[in-house]
Amino acid sequence: GAVVSQHPSWVICKSGTSVKIECRSLDFQATTMFWYRQFPKQSLMLMATSNEGSKATYEQGVEKDKFLINHASLTLSTLTVTSAHPEDSSFYICSAPQGVNQPQHFGDGTRLSIL
Amino acid sequence: QKEVEQDPGPLSVPEGAIVSLNCTYSNSAFQYFMWYRQYSRKGPELLMYTYSSGNKEDGRFTAQVDKSSKYISLFIRDSQPSDSATYLCAMCFSGGYNKLIFGAGTRLAVHP
């Protein structure tokens, strides 16, 4: 069964709206989670590493004020797309490793459509 | 040169065929190697996870890692239409908390 849960699975909203996406680890604690973005027919692009109790680490070119990450508990990380615009429309996916030297498991993704 | 090279396909095979999917990489420091399957509009699903060189088998799936050649493979035996998906190879320097480097993904279609 799924070990990482992501919500919502699909959101459509107007330009200028802020959208929050949740990523939860099920039955395990995740001190680190990862946020990816995926465009159609392309591979996953890492956006940031979410660290419980500290600031997220963003990849080069990713605006940290645009994509706010909060990892307030050991089972929940959130990604907020602030003042979203049509170019932010994409498939956002989170992942979490179950432990040291364990593989990352992915959520089912959130399809974000900004009108 | 990309760190991980993977032919995007598409690859079309008849049901029952043996499928071979491959990735090459340039950084010899990679230690952990993974194969994920991704259906359309879903997150990647872990299929195989291997450390260092060698083979690993799980049902119809076999993963091979050849670190000397910097080459990894995934074999699917007795392929089924339900195997039609995008297959992503991924690797990292050490396990768990380190970021993954993905290949482009290979789109596979298994037709009845």
Side-chain angles (χ1 to χ4, degrees):
Chain A
V3 296
V4 175
S5 172
Q6 195 170 334
H7 179 81
S9 57
W10 192 4
V11 58
I12 303 173
C13 56
K14 293 181 180 179
S15 185
T17 307
S18 291
V19 179
K20 181 186 282 188
I21 303 169
E22 293 186 348
C23 181
R24 294 182 185 273
S25 58
L26 306 177
D27 300 323
F28 71 98
Q29 294 180 335
T31 56
T32 301
M33 293 184 177
F34 300 88
W35 286 97
Y36 295 83
R37 186 173 179 175
Q38 186 177 33
F39 291 105
K41 297 186 179 180
Q42 293 189 23
S43 192
L44 283 74
M45 182 189 79
L46 179 67
M47 298 175 66
T49 302
S50 173
N51 304 299
E52 188 270 334
S54 64
K55 290 183 179 180
T57 304
Y58 290 82
E59 295 298 300
Q60 191 174 9
V62 178
E63 298 176 61
K64 60 181 180 181
D65 295 329
K66 175 75 171 176
F67 299 100
L68 299 179
I69 290 172
N70 185 284
H71 195 150
S73 80
L74 287 170
T75 59
L76 174 64
S77 175
T78 60
L79 168 68
T80 301
V81 184
T82 61
S83 187
H85 292 283
E87 59 266 27
D88 298 322
S89 299
S90 191
F91 193 51
Y92 293 87
I93 314 173
C94 69
S95 74
Q98 283 188 277
V100 175
N101 297 333
Q102 295 297 309
Q104 290 182 30
H105 291 272
F106 287 81
D108 256 349
T110 296
R111 194 166 143 215
L112 176 63
S113 297
I114 308 298
L115 305 177
Chain B
Q1 183 189 9
K2 292 181 181 177
E3 279 194 284
V4 180
E5 298 276 1
Q6 183 178 9
D7 186 341
L11 180 62
S12 181
V13 301
E15 183 175 356
I18 297 175
V19 177
S20 173
L21 303 166
N22 311 294
C23 288
T24 58
Y25 61 95
S26 56
N27 195 327
S28 58
F30 287 128
Q31 296 286 342
Y32 292 84
F33 305 90
M34 288 133 281
W35 285 96
Y36 289 89
R37 176 175 64 195
Q38 186 177 25
Y39 292 112
S40 181
R41 298 180 180 178
K42 291 287 188 181
E45 172 193 0
L46 179 68
L47 288 177
M48 302 293 277
Y49 178 60
T50 53
Y51 170 73
S52 198
S53 285
N55 293 358
K56 185 174 184 179
E57 189 173 320
D58 184 359
R60 296 185 295 113
F61 300 93
T62 299
Q64 287 185 351
V65 174
D66 182 348
K67 290 196 71 180
S68 62
S69 302
K70 301 192 187 73
Y71 187 88
I72 67 171
S73 301
L74 178 71
F75 297 96
I76 307 174
R77 291 182 297 281
D78 188 25
S79 57
Q80 302 295 310
S82 58
D83 294 328
S84 299
T86 296
Y87 290 79
L88 296 151
C89 66
M91 48 199 77
C92 60
F93 300 115
S94 58
Y97 301 110
N98 286 270
K99 63 181 181 182
L100 298 179
I101 309 300
F102 281 92
T106 300
R107 284 187 292 139
L108 171 67
V110 181
H111 51 86

